[in-house]
Amino acid sequence: MGFDEMDVDTIWMDGEFVDWDEAQVHVLTHGLHYGSGVFEGARCYETDKGPALFRWEEHLERLFQSAKPYEMDIGFTKEELTEATKELIRRQGLPSCYVRPIAYYGYNSLGVSPKDCPTRTAIAVWPWGAYLGEEALENGIDVMISSWRKHASSQIPTNAKTTGLYVNSMLAGEEARRNGYAEALVLNKEGNVAEGPGENVFLVRDDEIYTPALSESILDGITRDSVIEIAEELGYTVHDDVSISRGELNTADELFFTGSAAEVTPIRKVDNVVVGDGSRGPVTEEIQQQFFEIVEEAPDEYAEWFEFVDIE
């Protein structure tokens, strides 16, 4: 969905609410030239108890942690960003939406060093459904192992969600789509499975669940963490500190992606090799259904996962 199709008209920038069309930056903004920004992607769900930001505290914590390696002072407290986000959702009257906070080095000088550049902060919200399509949630998607490798944490911090690093994701994803696939799967420099361009990946074998360790150059996904907890609550054994070889993808019973955007999306083919029976597997389906029940009902036992927004 393009922005021109959406009923949103306000963005929060540096402490002020501004018109969507006026939310602009200078062409010599440091972040535009060097990718020196950090961001988050979160969701506000329309739960049975009202609109609620899902795992918002963890998203904010990761935003601030991502800023640390770049010596970036965001300049607002987590409480201020939370109130700004809630007010933005209220002003837009959105019972559910995608939420994009971003902090970046702004306009001052164009040396590689950002030391003289101010830190700018913005938050936008907009309606967004299933990232890979509603059909994908039920029937799964076909993915391609990308020729582009994930950068190593010895090169650039992989656990910081940095704007510039998503060039890697864009290249992988567009390569896959040019070749007729819905999404890519990216290997790390050792040739083991890392993640998708914007998703973590899980493998199911003999009713046990495996997902690459943080040391495999992956982002520490918040939905990944949620799914690990959900799966363990359902009685599954989850191995979250493993290496997964490329070959193991071909013999997996099930594969699925997780992410704030992708939620829980089954993978039915990898490079035209059918995964399992080529449809959403039973373990994936159970976890997916439990995940959506939680975000729809906001049950008391998961109360710490929700930050409610009063839009009345």
Side-chain angles (χ1 to χ4, degrees):
M1 177 183 290
F3 288 132
D4 58 344
E5 303 171 49
M6 304 184 309
D7 187 21
V8 287
D9 57 19
T10 306
I11 287 179
W12 182 90
M13 292 188 74
D14 298 316
E16 298 181 359
F17 294 93
V18 300
D19 289 342
W20 185 279
D21 292 339
E22 300 300 319
Q24 301 173 359
V25 297
H26 196 280
V27 71
L28 297 184
T29 292
H30 192 278
L32 174 62
H33 291 257
Y34 302 114
S36 54
V38 296
F39 72 101
E40 278 299 317
R43 282 189 185 261
C44 176
Y45 283 102
E46 186 175 8
T47 78
D48 292 346
K49 299 175 182 177
L53 292 157
F54 182 66
R55 303 209 66 176
W56 180 245
E57 182 177 337
E58 289 84 353
H59 279 287
L60 276 187
E61 177 63 22
R62 190 170 65 182
L63 181 72
F64 280 78
Q65 291 296 323
S66 293
K68 281 187 175 182
Y70 303 103
E71 299 182 353
M72 180 182 293
D73 180 6
I74 290 178
F76 293 90
T77 66
K78 294 173 185 176
E79 292 74 20
E80 287 172 326
L81 294 182
T82 297
E83 185 47 46
T85 302
K86 289 182 175 182
E87 178 61 20
L88 192 58
I89 293 170
R90 281 193 286 266
R91 290 186 181 214
Q92 303 296 262
L94 294 172
S96 66
C97 60
Y98 187 76
V99 184
R100 168 55 56 86
I102 183 170
Y104 56 95
Y105 282 116
Y107 166 66
N108 182 281
S109 63
L110 261 190
V112 174
S113 172
K115 68 182 181 65
D116 295 325
C117 297
T119 299
R120 306 289 304 277
T121 308
I123 304 168
V125 301
W126 62 86
W128 203 7
Y131 177 56
L132 296 167
E134 291 291 343
E135 183 182 351
L137 293 174
E138 181 175 350
N139 298 325
I141 59 171
D142 299 348
V143 304
M144 168 188 172
I145 296 179
S146 178
S147 64
W148 297 100
R149 294 291 178 94
K150 180 69 185 284
H151 53 272
S153 58
S154 59
Q155 298 167 314
I156 307 173
T158 53
N159 207 31
K161 197 172 175 70
T162 309
T163 58
L165 304 190
Y166 276 75
V167 169
N168 183 251
S169 298
M170 182 189 74
L171 288 169
E174 291 308 295
E175 177 188 40
R177 284 180 278 277
R178 282 196 307 271
N179 285 279
Y181 296 86
E183 187 60 293
L185 193 56
V186 184
L187 307 180
N188 60 24
K189 67 181 179 65
E190 289 82 17
N192 294 322
V193 176
E195 57 191 2
E199 308 92 358
N200 292 113
V201 65
F202 285 77
L203 179 150
V204 181
R205 184 172 57 235
D206 297 330
D207 285 336
E208 295 195 4
I209 300 171
Y210 302 80
T211 191
L214 299 183
S215 58
E216 296 295 304
S217 297
I218 70 166
L219 184 71
D220 188 5
I222 292 165
T223 309
R224 173 186 182 271
D225 179 73
S226 304
V227 163
I228 290 170
E229 185 170 335
I230 288 169
E232 289 176 341
E233 287 289 332
L234 291 170
Y236 291 103
T237 298
V238 182
H239 308 273
D240 63 355
D241 58 352
V242 298
S243 294
I244 297 175
S245 70
R246 177 174 181 165
E248 288 179 86
L249 299 173
N250 296 330
T251 57
D253 297 331
E254 303 176 37
L255 293 171
F256 61 90
F257 275 143
T258 65
S260 295
E263 297 168 305
V264 181
T265 299
I267 298 171
R268 64 189 178 194
K269 284 184 182 179
V270 178
D271 285 344
N272 287 324
V273 176
V274 174
V275 177
D277 63 4
S279 61
R280 178 177 58 187
V283 176
T284 304
E285 183 174 8
E286 185 177 14
I287 291 170
Q288 185 190 65
Q289 289 180 348
Q290 181 71 1
F291 174 82
F292 283 116
E293 281 183 17
I294 289 170
V295 298
E296 288 167 7
E297 298 173 6
D300 291 343
E301 57 266 37
Y302 290 95
E304 71 276 9
W305 284 7
F306 296 92
E307 180 80 30
F308 289 94
V309 183
D310 181 8
I311 63 172
E312 295 299 327

